[in-house]
Each structure stands twice: as C-alpha cells, then as structure tokens.
Amino acid sequence: MRFTNTGRVVQRLDGFEVLADGQPLARRSAPAAVDLRPGATADETVTFAAPELTADLTLSLADGSQLVLDL
C-alpha cells in the first residue's frame, strides 16, 4: 500500500486493518509505525489472510476513517 500525506501536519501511520465485508482479516505481518511529513509518501507491505473472492474490501485507519479498496 502507498500512503501520501497531502495535509499540512505530520500524520502518524501506526495502525490499520483490512476489512472483508465489515470483518477484520487476520494480519500475517505488521507494518512499522511511520510518521508521514507533509508531502511525503510511504510504501508499506502488509499481508493478511485471504478474503472470500466476492468480499467487499475496506481499509480502516486508526482514526476511524475508511477507504474502499478496489483490487
């Protein structure tokens, strides 16, 4: 996953989940905590248990915001 901070303050990436049909997928690897400075981009490789082929996937960030994933 690639994260870019488009804001004006440092954002801390320290926790997120991938949800399949609203249920968290089991994490097989954990991302490192990253402080993203304004304008910075970070790539994180994280592995999760395989979801059902028809599952709707959502990225859920620690602050409660969510993004739909299209794969």
Side-chain angles (χ1 to χ4, degrees), residues 1 3 16 18 26-32 43-48:
M1 292 182 219
F3 298 93
F16 56 87
V18 174
R27 189 177 291 171
R28 294 198 170 141
S29 68
D43 292 321
E44 289 290 325
T45 300
V46 183
T47 55
F48 292 87

Side-chain angles (χ1 to χ4, degrees), residues 12-62:
R12 182 151 181 88
L13 256 184
D14 62 356
F16 56 87
E17 293 183 306
V18 174
L19 308 175
D21 292 333
Q23 299 300 313
L25 292 176
R27 189 177 291 171
R28 294 198 170 141
S29 68
V34 175
D35 288 326
L36 277 180
R37 300 192 190 304
T41 297
D43 292 321
E44 289 290 325
T45 300
V46 183
T47 55
F48 292 87
E52 295 292 324
L53 289 176
T54 59
D56 292 322
L57 300 178
T58 305
L59 176 68
S60 179
L61 301 175

Side-chain angles (χ1 to χ4, degrees), residues 60-71:
S60 179
L61 301 175
D63 69 359
S65 58
Q66 294 187 336
L67 300 167
V68 174
L69 298 176
D70 289 324
L71 303 177

